[in-house]
Amino acid sequence: MRLALAEAGRAAEGGDVPVGAVVLAPDGRTVLSAGHNEREATSDPTAHAEVLAIRRAAAERGEWRLSGCTLVVTLEPCTMCAGALVQSRVDRVVYGARDDKAGAAGSLWDVVRDRRLNHRPEVIEGVLADDCARLLTDFFRDR
Ligand SMILES: [Zn+2]
């Protein structure tokens, strides 16, 4: 999560909402990829930290399935990212701050653990939640 927080800081430098993500290999230690929100930087509405990290991890592994991998992200995934996480077959999603307005991993929706879907990653929330949330509140206060 410290690495994801560092990624989030890079998003803010580019004027993007500070959200960062990393994908860990099945050993739980090796960092396969990282990503931060680049919506403003690339004018791409889908350039969320999780989507970028998932794409890079799949490229690194040379396959789209990220079975056994863990995605760590500073903010609860939105519906798009939750869908991408299900599609990527990651085993585990770890997030920091909850997103009561748009979260899709337990707050507003729970897409990743929807029993109607055939893949449901484990979800661990609240890791360094205060640090993750503080980045966001500082960012919006400064704007
Ligand atoms: Zn998202």
Coordinates of all heavy atoms in Angstrom, one line a residue, residues 1 3-5 7-8 11 16-24 32-39 44-59 64 66 69-90 92-99 102-106 111-112 121 123-124 132 136:
M1 N 0.8 -1.2 0.0 CA 0.0 0.0 0.0 C 0.9 1.3 0.0 O 0.5 2.3 -0.6 CB -0.9 0.0 1.2 CG -2.0 1.1 1.2 SD -3.0 1.1 -0.3 CE -4.3 0.0 0.2
L3 N 3.6 1.6 -1.7 CA 3.9 1.8 -3.1 C 2.7 2.4 -3.8 O 2.9 3.3 -4.7 CB 4.3 0.5 -3.8 CG 5.6 -0.1 -3.4 CD1 5.8 -1.5 -4.0 CD2 6.7 0.8 -3.9
A4 N 1.5 2.0 -3.5 CA 0.3 2.5 -4.2 C 0.1 4.0 -3.8 O -0.3 4.8 -4.6 CB -0.9 1.7 -3.8
L5 N 0.4 4.3 -2.5 CA 0.4 5.7 -2.1 C 1.4 6.6 -2.9 O 1.0 7.7 -3.2 CB 0.6 5.8 -0.6 CG -0.6 5.5 0.3 CD1 -0.1 5.2 1.7 CD2 -1.6 6.6 0.3
E7 N 2.4 6.0 -5.8 CA 1.8 6.2 -7.2 C 0.8 7.2 -7.2 O 0.7 8.0 -8.1 CB 1.2 4.8 -7.6 CG 2.2 3.9 -8.3 CD 2.8 4.5 -9.6 OE1 2.0 5.0 -10.4 OE2 4.0 4.4 -9.8
A8 N -0.1 7.2 -6.2 CA -1.1 8.2 -6.1 C -0.5 9.6 -6.1 O -1.1 10.6 -6.7 CB -1.9 8.0 -4.8
A11 N 0.1 10.9 -9.5 CA -1.2 11.3 -10.2 C -1.4 12.8 -9.8 O -1.7 13.6 -10.7 CB -2.4 10.5 -9.7
D16 N -4.0 15.0 -11.7 CA -5.1 14.0 -11.6 C -5.4 13.7 -10.1 O -4.6 13.9 -9.2 CB -4.6 12.7 -12.3 CG -5.0 12.7 -13.7 OD1 -6.2 12.6 -14.0 OD2 -4.2 12.8 -14.6
V17 N -6.6 13.3 -9.9 CA -7.1 12.9 -8.6 C -6.1 11.8 -8.1 O -5.9 10.8 -8.8 CB -8.5 12.3 -8.6 CG1 -8.9 11.8 -7.2 CG2 -9.5 13.4 -9.1
P18 N -5.5 11.9 -6.9 CA -4.5 11.0 -6.4 C -5.0 9.6 -6.0 O -5.4 9.4 -4.9 CB -3.9 11.7 -5.2 CG -4.9 12.6 -4.7 CD -5.8 13.0 -5.9
V19 N -5.0 8.7 -7.0 CA -5.3 7.3 -6.7 C -4.2 6.5 -7.4 O -3.8 6.8 -8.5 CB -6.6 6.9 -7.4 CG1 -6.9 5.4 -7.1 CG2 -7.8 7.8 -6.8
G20 N -3.6 5.6 -6.6 CA -2.5 4.8 -7.1 C -2.8 3.3 -6.9 O -3.5 2.9 -6.0
A21 N -2.2 2.4 -7.8 CA -2.5 1.0 -7.7 C -1.2 0.2 -8.0 O -0.4 0.7 -8.8 CB -3.6 0.6 -8.6
V22 N -1.0 -0.9 -7.4 CA 0.0 -1.8 -7.8 C -0.6 -3.2 -7.9 O -1.5 -3.6 -7.3 CB 1.2 -1.9 -6.8 CG1 1.9 -0.5 -6.8 CG2 0.8 -2.3 -5.5
V23 N 0.0 -4.1 -8.8 CA -0.3 -5.5 -8.9 C 0.8 -6.3 -8.4 O 2.0 -6.1 -8.9 CB -0.7 -5.9 -10.3 CG1 -1.0 -7.4 -10.4 CG2 -2.0 -5.1 -10.8
L24 N 0.5 -7.2 -7.5 CA 1.6 -8.1 -6.9 C 1.4 -9.5 -7.6 O 0.3 -10.0 -7.8 CB 1.4 -8.2 -5.4 CG 1.5 -6.9 -4.6 CD1 1.2 -7.2 -3.1 CD2 2.8 -6.2 -4.8
L32 N 4.5 -6.5 -10.0 CA 4.4 -6.7 -11.5 C 4.2 -5.4 -12.2 O 4.7 -5.2 -13.3 CB 3.2 -7.6 -11.8 CG 3.3 -9.1 -11.6 CD1 2.0 -9.8 -11.9 CD2 4.5 -9.7 -12.4
S33 N 3.4 -4.5 -11.6 CA 3.1 -3.2 -12.3 C 2.6 -2.2 -11.3 O 2.2 -2.6 -10.2 CB 2.0 -3.5 -13.4 OG 0.8 -3.8 -12.7
A34 N 2.5 -1.0 -11.8 CA 2.0 0.1 -11.0 C 1.2 1.0 -11.9 O 1.5 1.0 -13.1 CB 3.1 0.9 -10.3
G35 N 0.3 1.8 -11.4 CA -0.4 2.7 -12.2 C -1.0 3.8 -11.3 O -1.3 3.6 -10.1
H36 N -1.2 4.9 -11.9 CA -1.9 6.0 -11.2 C -2.9 6.6 -12.1 O -2.8 6.5 -13.4 CB -1.0 7.0 -10.6 CG -0.1 7.7 -11.6 ND1 1.2 7.2 -11.8 CD2 -0.2 8.7 -12.4 CE1 1.8 8.0 -12.7 NE2 0.9 8.9 -13.2
N37 N -3.9 7.3 -11.5 CA -4.9 8.0 -12.3 C -4.3 8.9 -13.3 O -3.5 9.8 -13.0 CB -5.8 8.7 -11.3 CG -7.1 9.2 -12.0 OD1 -7.4 8.9 -13.1 ND2 -7.8 10.0 -11.2
E38 N -4.6 8.7 -14.6 CA -4.1 9.6 -15.7 C -5.2 10.2 -16.6 O -5.0 10.4 -17.8 CB -3.1 8.8 -16.5 CG -1.8 8.4 -15.8 CD -0.8 7.6 -16.8 OE1 -1.0 7.8 -18.0 OE2 0.0 6.9 -16.2
R39 N -6.3 10.3 -16.0 CA -7.5 10.8 -16.8 C -7.2 12.2 -17.4 O -7.4 12.4 -18.6 CB -8.7 10.9 -16.0 CG -9.7 9.9 -16.3 CD -11.0 10.0 -15.6 NE -10.9 10.8 -14.3 CZ -12.0 10.9 -13.5 NH1 -13.1 10.3 -13.8 NH2 -11.8 11.6 -12.4
D44 N -8.1 10.5 -21.2 CA -8.8 9.2 -21.3 C -9.6 8.9 -20.1 O -9.1 8.7 -19.0 CB -7.6 8.1 -21.4 CG -8.2 6.7 -21.6 OD1 -9.4 6.5 -21.5 OD2 -7.3 5.8 -21.7
P45 N -11.0 8.8 -20.4 CA -11.9 8.6 -19.2 C -11.7 7.2 -18.5 O -12.1 7.0 -17.4 CB -13.3 8.7 -19.9 CG -13.1 8.5 -21.3 CD -11.7 8.9 -21.6
T46 N -11.0 6.3 -19.2 CA -10.8 5.0 -18.6 C -9.5 4.8 -18.0 O -9.1 3.7 -17.5 CB -11.0 3.8 -19.6 OG1 -9.9 3.8 -20.6 CG2 -12.3 4.0 -20.4
A47 N -8.7 5.9 -17.9 CA -7.3 5.8 -17.4 C -7.3 5.9 -15.9 O -6.6 6.7 -15.3 CB -6.4 6.9 -18.0
H48 N -8.0 5.0 -15.2 CA -8.0 4.9 -13.8 C -6.7 4.0 -13.4 O -6.3 3.2 -14.2 CB -9.2 4.2 -13.3 CG -10.5 5.1 -13.3 ND1 -11.6 4.8 -12.6 CD2 -10.7 6.2 -13.9 CE1 -12.5 5.7 -12.9 NE2 -12.0 6.6 -13.7
A49 N -6.3 4.3 -12.2 CA -5.1 3.6 -11.7 C -5.2 2.0 -11.8 O -4.2 1.4 -12.3 CB -4.8 3.9 -10.2
E50 N -6.3 1.5 -11.5 CA -6.5 0.0 -11.5 C -6.4 -0.5 -12.9 O -5.7 -1.5 -13.2 CB -7.8 -0.4 -10.9 CG -8.0 0.0 -9.5 CD -8.8 1.3 -9.4 OE1 -8.4 2.3 -10.0 OE2 -9.8 1.4 -8.6
V51 N -7.1 0.2 -13.9 CA -7.1 -0.3 -15.2 C -5.7 -0.3 -15.8 O -5.2 -1.3 -16.5 CB -8.1 0.5 -16.1 CG1 -7.9 0.3 -17.6 CG2 -9.5 0.3 -15.7
L52 N -5.0 0.8 -15.6 CA -3.6 0.9 -16.1 C -2.7 -0.2 -15.5 O -1.9 -0.8 -16.1 CB -3.0 2.3 -15.8 CG -3.8 3.4 -16.6 CD1 -3.3 4.8 -16.1 CD2 -3.7 3.2 -18.1
A53 N -2.8 -0.4 -14.2 CA -2.0 -1.4 -13.5 C -2.3 -2.8 -14.0 O -1.4 -3.6 -14.2 CB -2.2 -1.3 -12.0
I54 N -3.6 -3.1 -14.2 CA -4.0 -4.4 -14.7 C -3.4 -4.6 -16.1 O -2.9 -5.7 -16.4 CB -5.6 -4.5 -14.7 CG1 -6.1 -4.6 -13.3 CG2 -6.0 -5.7 -15.6 CD1 -7.6 -4.5 -13.2
R55 N -3.6 -3.6 -16.9 CA -3.1 -3.8 -18.3 C -1.6 -4.0 -18.3 O -1.1 -4.9 -19.0 CB -3.3 -2.5 -19.1 CG -4.7 -2.4 -19.6 CD -4.9 -1.1 -20.5 NE -6.3 -1.0 -20.9 CZ -6.8 0.2 -21.1 NH1 -6.1 1.3 -20.9 NH2 -8.1 0.3 -21.4
R56 N -0.8 -3.3 -17.5 CA 0.6 -3.4 -17.4 C 1.0 -4.8 -16.9 O 2.0 -5.4 -17.3 CB 1.2 -2.3 -16.6 CG 1.1 -1.0 -17.4 CD 1.5 0.2 -16.5 NE 1.2 1.4 -17.3 CZ 0.9 2.6 -16.7 NH1 0.9 2.7 -15.4 NH2 0.7 3.7 -17.5
A57 N 0.3 -5.3 -15.9 CA 0.6 -6.6 -15.3 C 0.4 -7.7 -16.3 O 1.2 -8.6 -16.4 CB -0.2 -6.8 -14.0
A58 N -0.7 -7.6 -17.0 CA -1.0 -8.6 -18.0 C 0.1 -8.6 -19.1 O 0.5 -9.7 -19.6 CB -2.4 -8.4 -18.6
A59 N 0.5 -7.4 -19.5 CA 1.6 -7.3 -20.5 C 2.9 -7.9 -20.0 O 3.6 -8.6 -20.7 CB 1.8 -5.8 -20.9
W64 N -3.6 -12.5 -20.3 CA -4.6 -11.6 -19.7 C -5.1 -12.1 -18.3 O -5.5 -11.3 -17.5 CB -5.8 -11.4 -20.6 CG -6.6 -12.7 -20.9 CD1 -6.4 -13.6 -21.9 CD2 -7.6 -13.2 -20.1 NE1 -7.3 -14.6 -21.8 CE2 -8.1 -14.4 -20.7 CE3 -8.3 -12.8 -18.9 CZ2 -9.1 -15.2 -20.2 CZ3 -9.3 -13.6 -18.4 CH2 -9.7 -14.8 -19.1
L66 N -4.8 -12.8 -14.6 CA -3.9 -12.5 -13.5 C -4.2 -13.3 -12.3 O -4.2 -12.9 -11.1 CB -4.1 -11.0 -13.1 CG -3.7 -10.0 -14.3 CD1 -3.9 -8.6 -13.9 CD2 -2.2 -10.3 -14.7
C69 N -2.8 -13.2 -8.6 CA -2.2 -11.9 -8.3 C -3.2 -11.1 -7.3 O -4.3 -11.4 -7.1 CB -2.1 -11.1 -9.6 SG -0.9 -11.8 -10.7
T70 N -2.6 -10.1 -6.8 CA -3.3 -9.2 -5.9 C -3.2 -7.7 -6.4 O -2.1 -7.3 -6.8 CB -2.6 -9.2 -4.5 OG1 -2.7 -10.5 -3.9 CG2 -3.3 -8.2 -3.5
L71 N -4.3 -7.1 -6.5 CA -4.3 -5.6 -6.8 C -4.4 -4.8 -5.5 O -5.4 -5.1 -4.8 CB -5.3 -5.3 -7.8 CG -5.3 -3.8 -8.2 CD1 -5.2 -3.5 -9.7 CD2 -6.5 -3.0 -7.6
V72 N -3.5 -3.9 -5.3 CA -3.6 -3.0 -4.2 C -3.9 -1.6 -4.7 O -3.2 -1.1 -5.6 CB -2.3 -3.0 -3.4 CG1 -2.4 -2.1 -2.1 CG2 -1.9 -4.5 -3.0
V73 N -4.9 -0.9 -4.1 CA -5.3 0.4 -4.6 C -5.7 1.3 -3.4 O -6.2 0.8 -2.4 CB -6.4 0.3 -5.7 CG1 -7.7 -0.3 -5.1 CG2 -6.7 1.7 -6.3
T74 N -5.4 2.6 -3.6 CA -5.6 3.5 -2.4 C -7.0 3.8 -2.2 O -7.4 4.1 -1.1 CB -4.8 4.8 -2.7 OG1 -5.2 5.4 -3.9 CG2 -3.3 4.5 -2.7
L75 N -7.9 3.7 -3.2 CA -9.3 4.1 -3.1 C -10.1 2.9 -3.6 O -9.8 2.2 -4.6 CB -9.6 5.3 -3.9 CG -11.0 5.8 -3.9 CD1 -11.4 6.3 -2.5 CD2 -11.2 6.9 -5.0
E76 N -11.2 2.7 -3.0 CA -12.2 1.6 -3.4 C -12.5 1.7 -4.9 O -12.8 2.8 -5.4 CB -13.5 1.8 -2.6 CG -14.5 0.7 -2.9 CD -15.7 0.8 -2.1 OE1 -15.8 1.7 -1.2 OE2 -16.7 0.1 -2.3
P77 N -12.4 0.6 -5.6 CA -12.6 0.7 -7.1 C -14.0 1.1 -7.4 O -15.0 0.8 -6.7 CB -12.4 -0.8 -7.5 CG -11.5 -1.4 -6.5 CD -11.9 -0.7 -5.2
C78 N -14.1 1.8 -8.6 CA -15.4 2.2 -9.1 C -16.0 1.0 -9.9 O -15.4 -0.1 -9.9 CB -15.3 3.4 -10.1 SG -14.4 3.0 -11.6
T79 N -17.2 1.2 -10.5 CA -17.8 0.1 -11.2 C -17.0 -0.4 -12.4 O -16.9 -1.6 -12.6 CB -19.2 0.5 -11.7 OG1 -19.1 1.7 -12.4 CG2 -20.2 0.5 -10.6
M80 N -16.4 0.5 -13.1 CA -15.6 0.1 -14.2 C -14.4 -0.7 -13.8 O -14.1 -1.8 -14.4 CB -15.0 1.4 -15.0 CG -14.0 1.1 -16.1 SD -13.4 2.5 -16.9 CE -12.3 3.2 -15.6
C81 N -13.7 -0.2 -12.8 CA -12.5 -1.0 -12.3 C -12.9 -2.3 -11.6 O -12.2 -3.3 -11.8 CB -11.7 -0.1 -11.3 SG -11.0 1.3 -12.2
A82 N -14.0 -2.3 -10.9 CA -14.4 -3.5 -10.3 C -14.7 -4.6 -11.4 O -14.3 -5.7 -11.3 CB -15.7 -3.3 -9.5
G83 N -15.3 -4.1 -12.5 CA -15.6 -5.0 -13.6 C -14.3 -5.5 -14.2 O -14.1 -6.7 -14.5
A84 N -13.3 -4.6 -14.4 CA -12.0 -5.0 -14.9 C -11.3 -6.0 -14.0 O -10.6 -6.9 -14.5 CB -11.1 -3.7 -15.1
L85 N -11.5 -5.8 -12.7 CA -10.8 -6.7 -11.8 C -11.4 -8.1 -11.9 O -10.7 -9.1 -11.8 CB -11.0 -6.2 -10.3 CG -10.0 -5.0 -10.1 CD1 -10.5 -4.2 -8.8 CD2 -8.6 -5.5 -9.9
V86 N -12.7 -8.2 -12.0 CA -13.4 -9.5 -12.2 C -12.9 -10.1 -13.5 O -12.5 -11.3 -13.6 CB -14.9 -9.3 -12.2 CG1 -15.6 -10.6 -12.7 CG2 -15.4 -8.9 -10.9
Q87 N -12.8 -9.3 -14.6 CA -12.4 -9.8 -15.9 C -10.9 -10.3 -15.8 O -10.6 -11.2 -16.5 CB -12.5 -8.7 -17.0 CG -13.9 -8.3 -17.3 CD -14.7 -9.5 -17.8 OE1 -14.2 -10.4 -18.5 NE2 -16.0 -9.5 -17.5
S88 N -10.1 -9.6 -15.0 CA -8.7 -10.0 -15.0 C -8.4 -11.3 -14.2 O -7.3 -11.8 -14.2 CB -7.9 -8.8 -14.4 OG -8.1 -8.8 -13.0
R89 N -9.4 -11.7 -13.4 CA -9.3 -12.9 -12.5 C -8.3 -12.8 -11.4 O -7.7 -13.8 -11.0 CB -8.9 -14.1 -13.4 CG -9.8 -14.4 -14.6 CD -11.1 -14.9 -14.2 NE -11.8 -15.5 -15.3 CZ -12.7 -14.8 -16.1 NH1 -13.0 -13.5 -15.8 NH2 -13.3 -15.3 -17.1
V90 N -8.0 -11.5 -11.0 CA -7.1 -11.4 -9.8 C -7.8 -12.1 -8.6 O -9.0 -12.2 -8.5 CB -6.9 -9.9 -9.4 CG1 -6.1 -9.2 -10.4 CG2 -8.2 -9.2 -9.1
R92 N -7.2 -11.3 -5.4 CA -7.4 -10.5 -4.2 C -7.4 -9.0 -4.6 O -6.6 -8.6 -5.4 CB -6.2 -10.8 -3.2 CG -6.4 -10.5 -1.8 CD -5.3 -11.1 -0.9 NE -5.3 -12.6 -1.0 CZ -4.5 -13.3 -1.8 NH1 -3.5 -12.7 -2.5 NH2 -4.6 -14.6 -1.9
V93 N -8.2 -8.3 -3.9 CA -8.2 -6.8 -4.1 C -8.1 -6.2 -2.7 O -8.8 -6.5 -1.8 CB -9.6 -6.3 -4.7 CG1 -9.6 -4.8 -4.8 CG2 -9.8 -6.9 -6.0
V94 N -7.1 -5.4 -2.5 CA -6.8 -4.7 -1.2 C -7.0 -3.2 -1.5 O -6.4 -2.7 -2.4 CB -5.4 -5.0 -0.7 CG1 -5.1 -4.3 0.6 CG2 -5.1 -6.5 -0.6
Y95 N -7.8 -2.6 -0.7 CA -7.9 -1.1 -0.9 C -7.9 -0.4 0.4 O -8.1 -0.9 1.5 CB -9.1 -0.7 -1.8 CG -10.5 -0.9 -1.2 CD1 -11.1 0.0 -0.3 CD2 -11.3 -2.0 -1.5 CE1 -12.4 -0.1 0.2 CE2 -12.6 -2.2 -1.0 CZ -13.1 -1.2 -0.1 OH -14.4 -1.4 0.4
G96 N -7.6 1.0 0.3 CA -7.4 1.8 1.4 C -8.7 2.4 1.8 O -9.5 1.9 2.6
A97 N -9.0 3.6 1.3 CA -10.2 4.4 1.6 C -11.4 3.9 0.9 O -11.4 3.5 -0.2 CB -9.9 5.9 1.3
R98 N -12.5 3.9 1.6 CA -13.8 3.6 1.0 C -14.3 4.8 0.2 O -13.9 6.0 0.5 CB -14.8 3.4 2.1 CG -14.8 2.0 2.8 CD -15.8 1.9 3.9 NE -17.1 1.7 3.4 CZ -17.7 0.5 3.3 NH1 -17.1 -0.6 3.8 NH2 -19.0 0.4 2.9
D99 N -15.0 4.5 -0.8 CA -15.6 5.6 -1.6 C -17.1 5.5 -1.5 O -17.8 4.7 -2.3 CB -15.2 5.5 -3.1 CG -15.7 6.6 -3.9 OD1 -16.5 7.4 -3.5 OD2 -15.2 6.7 -5.1
A102 N -19.1 6.4 -4.9 CA -19.0 5.6 -6.2 C -18.3 4.2 -6.0 O -18.0 3.6 -7.0 CB -18.2 6.4 -7.2
G103 N -18.1 3.8 -4.8 CA -17.4 2.5 -4.6 C -18.2 1.3 -5.0 O -19.4 1.2 -4.8
A104 N -17.5 0.4 -5.7 CA -18.1 -0.8 -6.2 C -17.5 -2.1 -5.6 O -17.5 -3.1 -6.2 CB -18.1 -0.8 -7.7
A105 N -16.9 -1.9 -4.4 CA -16.3 -3.1 -3.7 C -16.7 -3.1 -2.3 O -15.9 -3.3 -1.3 CB -14.8 -3.1 -3.9
G106 N -18.0 -2.8 -2.1 CA -18.6 -2.9 -0.7 C -19.4 -1.7 -0.2 O -20.2 -1.8 0.6
V111 N -19.7 -5.1 -6.7 CA -19.5 -5.9 -8.0 C -18.5 -7.0 -7.9 O -18.8 -8.1 -8.4 CB -19.1 -4.9 -9.1 CG1 -18.7 -5.6 -10.4 CG2 -20.2 -3.8 -9.4
V112 N -17.4 -6.8 -7.1 CA -16.4 -7.8 -7.1 C -16.8 -9.1 -6.3 O -16.2 -10.1 -6.5 CB -15.1 -7.3 -6.5 CG1 -14.3 -6.4 -7.5 CG2 -15.3 -6.6 -5.2
P121 N -13.1 -12.1 -6.5 CA -11.8 -12.0 -5.7 C -12.1 -11.7 -4.2 O -13.2 -11.2 -3.9 CB -11.2 -10.7 -6.3 CG -12.1 -10.2 -7.3 CD -13.3 -11.0 -7.4
V123 N -11.7 -9.6 -0.9 CA -11.5 -8.2 -0.7 C -11.1 -7.9 0.7 O -11.6 -8.4 1.6 CB -12.9 -7.4 -1.0 CG1 -12.7 -5.9 -0.7 CG2 -13.4 -7.7 -2.4
I124 N -10.0 -7.1 0.8 CA -9.5 -6.6 2.1 C -9.5 -5.1 2.0 O -8.9 -4.5 1.2 CB -8.1 -7.1 2.3 CG1 -8.1 -8.7 2.4 CG2 -7.5 -6.6 3.6 CD1 -6.7 -9.3 2.3
C132 N -4.6 7.1 2.8 CA -5.2 7.2 1.5 C -6.2 8.3 1.3 O -6.3 9.0 0.3 CB -5.8 5.8 1.1 SG -4.6 4.5 1.0
L136 N -6.5 12.4 -0.7 CA -7.6 12.9 -1.5 C -8.2 14.2 -1.0 O -8.4 15.1 -1.7 CB -8.7 11.8 -1.6 CG -8.4 10.6 -2.4 CD1 -9.3 9.4 -2.0 CD2 -8.5 10.9 -3.9

